[in-house]
Amino acid sequence: MKRSRLAADAGTVALAAVEIPAVWSLIGPVELVLYIVTALLLVVWRYWPVPVLLLTLPAAMTGLLLAPMIAMCHVAFGVRRRAVIGACAGLLFAVALVPWRPMQTEVWSYEDGLRAVISSALLALGPTAVGALARTRRELAGRLDELMHSRERERKLLARSAVTEERARLAREMHDVVAHNISLIAVQAGALRSTAHTDASRETASTIGELSRRTLHELRAMVSVLRSGEDPGRAGAHEGTVEMAVDGPGLAELPALLRVSGDHVRYEAAVPARRWPKRVEQAAYRIVQEAVTNALKHATGACVTVALRERAGSEALLVEVRNGPGSAAGTGAAAYGEESRPLPSSGFGLIGLRERAEALGGWLEARPTADGGFSVRAALPAPTGGTPPVGGV
């Protein structure tokens, strides 16, 4: 910006100096020095446009009018009060008439006087019109820029309103459909536990009930987040279920999750006793949850190992879930009986896990193992300084 202003000022002085060669043979040393000083005064027109014009008027009396015309253009461009602009234009018009005054030996005709008035008027009104046009163009550009910003704000408000409506719709669907069915599962599990005749049946019913209640609690917490319209990453300031949805579940809830998943799930935790960022803990929990669920669905009876450790030399949590091949009895829900149907799968589970890891600046890879099993590995950066990246909820 500063360089462009200096270049513009230098161009203004150079433009005013163009008149000097044209009148070189008609002016003396005094007029030459006066005009050079007048041209140099144009550098400070941004700060004092009216005083600069007044200081250029002596040069206009000698017939050197280019610098005063440029100063008048700057007055029309930089001054907002029309009365001041009109007074300056009238003063320049009067001064521009001075070189046209008749000598004592000359006889002025009507045509000479009319030509002097018209020429002086053009010399005063021309720069005024150019400066006013430039000022109007600048103001119009500012109005258009303001209008574009206003339209952009309106577009964002409309988009935010659409997102709010969609969140409310999702909250209604989750509450009316999913929460209702999970509540029925919890009630049926309680009834089954009361009427079961064997310890194994009662333990299974108790596990189903605990999973249903936990899922219902998290679901209702997420419905509260959707209803509140808050970003889940910033909703921790709220109390109750919304805070639970943001702060948990984390690493502290992993043992309970794996305990109800079955005896063939082994947990190996080799992480230091430190407080990891909430988003890192939540991402680790969801990765383990999804990977163990996939192992139970697609490799029934296989041994599942969950390992957590800190990556050496960097602040990152490494999560690994691996399982061997499924039992010969079958895989998925079909292994539990002939009438069982395969569990539904959206196909977006691993995609969502990879998005969680990448949102934290980490990575996730999922691939088959050499023994016919499957492995899910992820690295979740957790810098000690600053706020962890937001995303992936």
Side-chain angles (χ1 to χ4, degrees):
M1 177 66 73
K2 188 175 181 180
R3 290 184 178 180
S4 62
R5 285 190 174 184
L6 290 176
D9 293 339
T12 301
V13 174
L15 179 61
V18 169
E19 190 176 8
I20 296 178
V23 296
W24 183 266
S25 60
L26 303 177
I27 60 176
V30 177
E31 289 84 359
L32 179 60
V33 174
L34 176 62
Y35 193 75
I36 291 175
V37 174
T38 301
L40 293 176
L41 286 174
L42 297 176
V43 176
V44 294
W45 70 267
R46 287 187 178 85
Y47 308 102
W48 306 290
V50 175
V52 167
L53 173 65
L54 297 178
L55 292 175
T56 61
L57 293 181
M61 294 181 181
T62 64
L64 300 174
L65 296 170
L66 189 55
M69 291 173 62
I70 295 175
M72 184 65 230
C73 182
H74 289 159
V75 170
F77 177 77
V79 178
R80 292 184 176 273
R81 298 182 61 180
R82 295 183 180 181
V84 176
I85 296 174
C88 291
L91 187 59
L92 179 60
F93 168 75
V95 173
L97 284 174
V98 174
W100 289 90
R101 67 187 185 279
M103 303 298 293
Q104 294 180 354
T105 58
E106 293 179 347
V107 178
W108 253 37
S109 64
Y110 171 78
E111 291 80 5
D112 294 333
L114 183 60
R115 185 163 53 251
V117 172
I118 294 176
S119 299
S120 300
L122 291 177
L123 291 174
L125 295 179
T128 303
V130 172
L133 179 62
R135 187 183 72 251
T136 302
R137 182 180 179 276
R138 182 186 62 179
E139 293 176 354
L140 180 60
R143 297 285 181 84
L144 290 177
D145 187 61
E146 183 180 353
L147 179 61
M148 292 183 62
H149 283 293
S150 177
R151 290 175 61 89
E152 181 65 17
R153 288 194 297 268
E154 183 180 357
R155 186 190 65 80
K156 290 182 179 179
L157 289 176
L158 292 176
R160 188 177 303 173
S161 176
V163 170
T164 302
E165 293 179 1
E166 183 65 14
R167 290 167 73 115
R169 187 188 68 82
L170 291 175
R172 289 193 300 269
E173 294 296 327
M174 291 175 65
H175 180 271
D176 295 343
V177 178
V178 184
H180 173 72
N181 292 336
I182 294 178
S183 299
L184 291 180
I185 293 174
V187 172
Q188 295 294 332
L192 177 62
R193 186 174 184 276
S194 300
T195 58
H197 299 288
T198 63
D199 293 339
S201 299
R202 284 192 292 271
E203 183 178 356
T204 301
S206 179
T207 300
I208 295 174
E210 181 180 352
L211 289 175
S212 300
R213 286 188 295 271
R214 182 183 304 170
T215 302
L216 188 60
H217 177 72
E218 293 186 15
L219 181 62
R220 287 176 175 171
M222 292 308 301
V223 168
S224 298
V225 172
L226 291 174
R227 281 291 189 182
S228 67
E230 294 285 345
D231 180 11
R234 297 191 298 267
H238 294 272
E239 299 180 355
T241 58
V242 178
E243 184 177 1
M244 291 297 297
V246 178
D247 294 343
L251 298 183
E253 287 76 24
L254 269 181
L257 171 68
L258 301 180
R259 184 172 57 252
V260 298
S261 298
D263 296 334
H264 56 288
V265 179
R266 186 175 57 183
Y267 183 36
E268 300 176 356
V271 293
R274 55 167 288 186
R275 183 174 178 84
W276 296 86
K278 288 299 181 180
R279 287 194 171 272
V280 173
E281 291 198 11
Q282 189 174 9
Y285 180 92
R286 295 305 184 192
I287 290 173
V288 172
Q289 184 184 44
E290 179 69 18
V292 171
T293 301
N294 287 341
L296 296 178
K297 288 167 56 177
H298 305 296
T300 304
C303 180
V304 182
T305 302
V306 178
L308 298 180
R309 64 182 184 275
E310 185 176 17
R311 185 166 59 184
S314 63
E315 296 289 340
L317 178 64
L318 295 180
V319 181
E320 182 177 5
V321 181
R322 61 183 182 273
N323 62 270
S327 63
T331 60
Y336 294 98
E338 296 182 356
E339 297 182 357
S340 299
R341 291 179 295 177
L343 294 174
S345 177
S346 64
F348 295 110
L350 293 178
I351 296 176
L353 298 185
R354 186 172 290 108
E355 291 173 349
R356 287 179 182 273
E358 292 176 353
L360 293 172
W363 51 266
L364 182 141
E365 62 178 14
R367 58 186 178 184
T369 59
D371 60 355
F374 203 80
S375 172
V376 176
R377 299 176 64 247
L380 307 175
T384 55
T387 303
V390 176
V393 176

